[in-house]
Amino acid sequence: MAKVTLNNVSKVYENGFEAVKNINLEIYNKEFMVLVGPSGCGKSTTLRMIAGLEEANNGEIKIGEKVVNNVLPKDRDIAFVFQNYALYPHMTVFENMAFGLKLRKVKKAEIKERVEATAAVLGLSEVLNRRPKQLSGGQRQRVAVGRAIVRDPKVFLFDEPLSNLDAKMRVQMRAEISKLHSSLKSTMVYVTHDQTEAMTMGDRICVMNHGVIQQLATPLELYDYPNNLFVAGFIGTPAMNFFEGVIFEDKDYAQFVGDGIKIDLNDTQKQQLSAYNGRAVIMGIRSEFIQIADVKTNSGQHNNAIVEVIEPMGSETYLYLKINSHSFVAKVEAHNKVVVGQNLALILNAEKMHFFDKETELAIR
Ligand SMILES: Nc1ncnc2c1ncn2[C@@H]1O[C@H](COP(=O)(O)OP(=O)(O)O)[C@@H](O)[C@H]1O
Ligand SMILES: [Mg+2]
């Protein structure tokens, strides 16, 4: 068991491209850390530097208390599970799982014991004598994970291990890897581009973009308090809605005014936005905080929008709406009488709004 520390780590590839820019990251002992971000943001490069498969140009990488920059991958005591978990096709499941231990000259009886125990944990006991082509995609993925676990490494590194599975199997394996983490109590670093995977699996999530860490926080901290526009838009489905507008403040009141939209701000927001009077900001609001107004009983402020598309999900319904030329989404109760083309009165929950500086794209708090 070990923590993993990256101090001022950078990676410039030979063609001069800077894939990872001076990142600082401490992954705690026994933590499940997810690195998430769009394709090309530097997740795999970061993971491969921890593994020793890529060399860092700058900075220090530590596993436990030991600086490992000059330690060979095989001596770092890590296990790596890739997206393309190449199993040896001519070997049985048992042999695939035993392979790494054999190389390390572990005694035969111990290999048998460890492989069988791991197979039991992963539900592979019945298929130990089969070859990879006789397994389902999910079983093959489990063998790849088993091959990593059986070595009992200090740190597990996963690079998009579920991307090749179908949607249902992905959800199932997601839960299995989480369970595995609880039972093994080992340090795991998990790379994915899928924010749902990140949210559901991570103890903490490190959001990256363009080789830079955008925010490092627990799933709900990220959801509730995104540091910037990128994180706000990346985490959560449907994505957060954004409206450009201007803050107008007076002695008695403060308002956010956008194209076809007007919101009264509360005292806290008025204070937060006091430096922004007359200035352009971006307002963000998640779909669940936009609700259909009951015009009869609700005397408060409404904003009107045209209903463009209705998507019933069963447990809730997504309404795709438009104010002038600006599109956004509301997540409303499933059973409603809304129709396409309707001019619908909405309540945007002012308490739940986020404001971002239009220039810096940083959250205004
Ligand atoms: N060997 C390489 N040479 C040059 N550029 C590379 C190399 N490997 C990756 N890159 C570039 O570095 C960036 C980050 O890559 P990667 O870490 O694989 O991203 P991610 O895993 O987040 O999708 C990408 O723009 C990619 O094209
Ligand atoms: Mg990658």
Side-chain angles (χ1 to χ4, degrees):
M1 306 301 140
K3 66 174 183 175
V4 176
T5 318
L6 281 74
N7 290 324
N8 301 101
V9 170
S10 301
K11 175 70 189 179
V12 181
Y13 281 110
E14 269 164 28
N15 62 0
F17 185 78
E18 193 177 14
V20 171
K21 298 171 187 165
N22 195 42
I23 66 171
N24 288 288
L25 179 61
E26 188 181 351
I27 300 157
Y28 305 142
N29 185 25
K30 301 180 186 176
E31 183 172 35
F32 197 112
M33 171 69 77
V34 178
L35 308 184
V36 72
S39 176
C41 73
K43 307 179 294 292
S44 294
T45 304
T46 304
L47 203 66
R48 292 169 63 81
M49 287 192 288
I50 297 172
L53 301 172
E54 294 289 350
E55 210 179 313
N57 296 84
N58 262 314
E60 185 182 73
I61 299 172
K62 293 198 321 194
I63 296 179
E65 294 307 323
K66 188 175 173 191
V67 176
V68 294
N69 290 58
N70 295 317
V71 176
L72 288 173
K74 69 175 177 58
D75 299 326
R76 290 195 187 190
D77 206 359
I78 46 121
F80 207 124
V81 182
F82 298 92
Q83 173 180 351
N84 300 312
Y85 39 85
L87 301 177
Y88 300 107
H90 58 288
M91 291 185 193
T92 63
V93 169
F94 183 97
E95 288 162 345
N96 265 286
M97 286 170 67
F99 190 72
L101 297 177
K102 256 190 187 160
L103 282 186
R104 283 172 175 73
K105 309 232 175 337
V106 177
K107 289 205 185 76
K108 232 178 166 177
E110 192 187 337
I111 292 181
K112 184 163 185 290
E113 193 179 311
R114 276 161 72 172
V115 170
E116 282 175 358
T118 305
V121 171
L122 291 167
L124 293 169
S125 305
E126 312 296 309
V127 298
L128 280 173
N129 292 321
R130 288 198 204 160
R131 289 181 207 284
K133 71 167 190 295
Q134 298 167 302
L135 302 175
S136 70
Q139 286 173 323
R140 267 181 237 151
Q141 184 58 51
R142 256 175 261 167
V143 177
V145 172
R147 201 165 52 172
I149 296 174
V150 83
R151 286 185 21 220
D152 192 21
K154 278 205 185 111
V155 180
F156 287 90
L157 305 175
F158 294 92
D159 195 351
E160 313 234 8
L162 307 184
S163 343
N164 287 344
L165 301 178
D166 63 47
K168 196 169 168 195
M169 188 55 81
R170 253 198 328 263
V171 173
Q172 193 184 327
M173 281 302 293
R174 195 162 87 191
E176 284 191 23
I177 292 177
S178 291
K179 268 192 264 171
L180 208 59
H181 175 250
S182 318
S183 64
L184 294 176
K185 298 190 172 48
S186 48
T187 311
M188 294 188 173
V189 191
Y190 188 101
V191 160
T192 179
H193 65 274
D194 178 345
Q195 65 87 28
T196 309
E197 236 170 76
M199 289 292 281
T200 51
M201 297 176 85
D203 290 326
R204 286 191 302 160
I205 299 172
C206 174
V207 184
M208 296 180 69
N209 195 26
H210 299 312
V212 176
I213 295 178
Q214 304 289 318
Q215 190 167 2
L216 173 62
T218 64
L220 290 183
E221 273 166 13
L222 281 183
Y223 192 82
D224 293 336
Y225 307 103
N227 274 346
N228 61 37
L229 205 57
F230 175 80
V231 175
F234 190 78
I235 298 290
T237 40
M240 188 186 282
N241 299 298
F242 296 116
F243 296 85
E244 290 193 16
V246 177
I247 301 296
F248 286 115
E249 261 193 64
D250 201 314
K251 270 204 315 298
D252 322 311
Y253 78 103
Q255 270 186 336
F256 167 81
V257 181
D259 182 18
I261 182 172
K262 215 181 254 184
I263 309 284
D264 288 331
L265 303 178
N266 62 30
D267 288 344
T268 317
Q269 289 166 327
K270 194 176 161 183
Q271 238 164 36
Q272 282 170 347
L273 293 159
S274 58
Y276 285 84
N277 192 8
R279 287 172 61 189
V281 296
I282 294 169
M283 184 272 278
I285 183 164
R286 295 203 184 274
S287 57
E288 63 268 35
F289 301 123
I290 303 178
Q291 292 302 315
I292 303 168
D294 187 341
V295 188
K296 281 193 217 102
T297 61
N298 193 309
S299 54
Q301 188 183 37
H302 309 142
N303 281 279
N304 276 68
I306 304 295
V307 179
E308 291 207 305
V309 176
I310 300 174
E311 279 185 358
M313 307 298 286
S315 56
E316 68 234 344
T317 289
Y318 296 169
L319 300 179
Y320 291 83
L321 303 150
K322 210 166 203 181
I323 294 180
N324 296 338
S325 62
H326 190 76
S327 300
F328 60 103
V329 192
K331 199 189 278 183
V332 301
E333 210 244 311
H335 301 274
N336 58 66
K337 299 195 172 69
V338 176
V339 293
V340 170
Q342 183 178 345
N343 188 354
L344 190 65
L346 299 166
I347 295 178
L348 284 71
N349 186 345
E351 307 268 306
K352 299 294 185 181
M353 287 179 186
H354 302 256
F355 291 93
F356 303 91
D357 186 302
K358 202 178 163 202
E359 301 279 298
T360 63
E361 302 194 345
L362 295 176
I364 303 167
R365 297 230 172 93

